Amino acid sequence: PTQRIRPNAFGRLRRRHASRPPSRQRLTTGRGPTDSPRRTDLLLPATTMNITRTLMAAAVIGGAPFLISNLQRGETISFAVAEGSSVTKSFTTSITSSLDDMQMLMNGEENAMMPSIEMDMEVTSTVKVTDTYGAIADGRPSKLSRKFEEIGMGIDMEMAIEMMGDTQDEAMEGSGESELEGKTVEFTWDKDAGEYVVQFAEDENGDKELLEGLTEDMSLRGLLPKSEVAEGDTWEIDMANLVIIMAPGGDLGLEVDMDDEAGMMGGGPDPEMMSDFSALLGGEIDGEFTGKLMSVREVDGNRIAVIEIVVEIDTKADLIDMALEQMDQEEMPEGMEMDVTMMDVEFAYEAKGELLWNLTKGHVAGFELKGETAMAMEMAMEMSGMMEMTMEMSMEMSGELVYSITVE
């Protein structure tokens, strides 16, 4: 029977599930017990009592504005940009990973010739857009015009392969770009269909296939509370928003070019696949995703809400379709065929960050999320033609993922 290799990268990131809901304080008013004995010897004379009552009433009436202004009020944090306004946002995602373990079986047996591999990888992607908003209805723009100012990806990989006492060092670089850069795309809400109609601006020409994977929401409005909150209040965030923030704008049609074969046939993971968060987060997600209002401050005449964001997740995804697509792009030796039969990836992320929300203008003012990652991949392949062989490979990687937004 074929031996299965089970990655165990997630032991290093222990989950910390909260078993109790966050406590909330309530302001209560009322009177205490009134059944204490009446002390007639402490009664004030009528004149003194009347004066005391008058002074107390004056104090309450005069001090009311002070008391009311210092009561803790709830904040409404919402997406409420003005119609016709434009916001320019820059999104940066940087993931650094190191190979912790790699194993391979050939025909169910360990390969005595398996080399020792060390690998470090860094993938940085940048997206800059200018969004011009139409009217806001039901918490979303009825129409949005988005210009893709910049789209890019940079990849750096370093590998050290040791085999039979010899070490070979390799350094590979890659970059990605999209035909959407410089284009303007319009999103129009179709109320009957319950979705956006996406098209290029009237004076733009482009490949319509590039529009299929785009998403309108780059506002981060999904991270906001659904009701009023006071300082210290926490709320749960829908896991679907992880894809929105990790893959800003959706599938931007990036074309990646490596200066060397660094994919599956090169002995390491495909950097493009390992940084595709829409795929990595497209399966089962378990964990916590919460926000907490820390404070509200004034900056340059704008009221800014400071929100703590906490993410602790484990995910599982089946990437067989993506692996087969990648394999189709590989050039195999003549007479050899290879078929990928399994590609399972687990991904863990524990991070904390700060979201800044402009309460005055109703849009994001800045965001940074930073934390540790662990990734485990399990892949199986079948080779035929020149030789018949089955291969199973597992990898464990860990590193850091930093996500940030700046607003102009």
Side-chain angles (χ1 to χ4, degrees), residues 164-176:
M164 300 180 66
D166 293 331
T167 301
Q168 179 180 356
D169 295 325
E170 296 183 11
M172 292 156 281
E173 295 182 352
S175 61

Side-chain angles (χ1 to χ4, degrees), residues 90-94 124-127 245 248 369 402-406:
S90 298
F91 301 76
T92 302
T93 305
S94 176
T124 302
S125 61
T126 56
V127 181
I245 66 174
L369 187 67
V402 180
Y403 173 84
S404 64
I405 296 177
T406 57

Side-chain angles (χ1 to χ4, degrees), residues 94-219:
S94 176
I95 181 168
T96 56
S97 298
S98 297
L99 181 64
D100 299 322
D101 185 53
M102 180 174 177
Q103 300 180 45
M104 183 179 292
L105 300 179
M106 304 181 70
N107 292 328
E109 302 291 338
E110 292 186 2
N111 183 6
M113 302 296 290
M114 177 68 183
S116 173
I117 300 177
E118 295 182 2
M119 184 187 70
D120 295 307
M121 178 176 68
E122 180 176 2
V123 181
T124 302
S125 61
T126 56
V127 181
K128 182 178 180 179
V129 300
T130 296
D131 285 346
T132 302
Y133 295 94
I136 303 299
D138 299 324
R140 67 171 66 89
S142 57
K143 188 169 185 178
L144 169 70
S145 176
R146 171 169 295 151
K147 183 176 181 180
F148 290 95
E149 308 279 2
E150 298 176 16
I151 303 174
M153 174 182 285
I155 302 171
D156 289 295
M157 291 183 64
E158 294 183 355
M159 298 179 66
I161 304 174
E162 182 181 354
M163 187 173 181
M164 300 180 66
D166 293 331
T167 301
Q168 179 180 356
D169 295 325
E170 296 183 11
M172 292 156 281
E173 295 182 352
S175 61
E177 53 188 32
S178 170
E179 294 181 9
L180 286 170
E181 183 170 295
K183 301 289 187 181
T184 299
V185 175
E186 295 180 345
F187 297 81
T188 304
W189 180 251
D190 185 333
K191 186 175 182 180
D192 294 333
E195 61 183 19
Y196 281 97
V197 176
V198 187
Q199 60 186 12
F200 286 105
E202 186 175 352
D203 57 345
E204 298 273 3
N205 293 315
D207 185 354
K208 292 184 178 180
E209 290 186 3
L210 292 171
L211 304 176
E212 295 177 359
L214 298 182
T215 57
E216 170 274 331
D217 189 3
M218 296 179 73
S219 65

